[in-house]
Amino acid sequence: MKSIILSLALAVTLVSCQEKTKEKLEDARDAVSEEVSSSIDSAQMKAEARMDTLKEKANAKVDSMKMKSAERMEAAAKKLKESVKK
């Protein structure tokens, strides 16, 4: 009789512990999901900021090259005009 009561008590304890463990696992899963989401959002924001910076630098270089080309074209045009006048 004692062994039956002890077995039932042990079974009840295991079942109640299992439910608490499931709750803890669900809470941990939710916390990890939130952390992963925030990490992904943070990484995405950093990547977008870096891309914007790179685009600005690229545009600045393109503008600089356009200005240099225009100056060279003007200089070449002046030399051509001078050579035609001679």
Side-chain angles (χ1 to χ4, degrees), residues 36-79:
V36 167
S37 277
S38 66
S39 294
I40 289 172
D41 291 343
S42 175
Q44 184 177 9
M45 289 173 59
K46 287 179 183 177
E48 288 174 354
R50 181 72 177 142
M51 286 297 294
D52 290 342
T53 302
L54 292 173
K55 284 179 184 177
E56 289 174 11
K57 286 182 179 179
N59 286 338
K61 283 189 178 186
V62 167
D63 291 342
S64 173
M65 292 178 77
K66 284 180 182 178
M67 292 295 292
K68 287 180 182 178
S69 325
E71 290 171 359
R72 288 181 183 163
M73 289 292 285
E74 287 178 14
K78 284 181 184 178
K79 284 183 182 178

Side-chain angles (χ1 to χ4, degrees), residues 8 16 32 49 61:
L8 288 174
S16 67
V32 168
K61 283 189 178 186

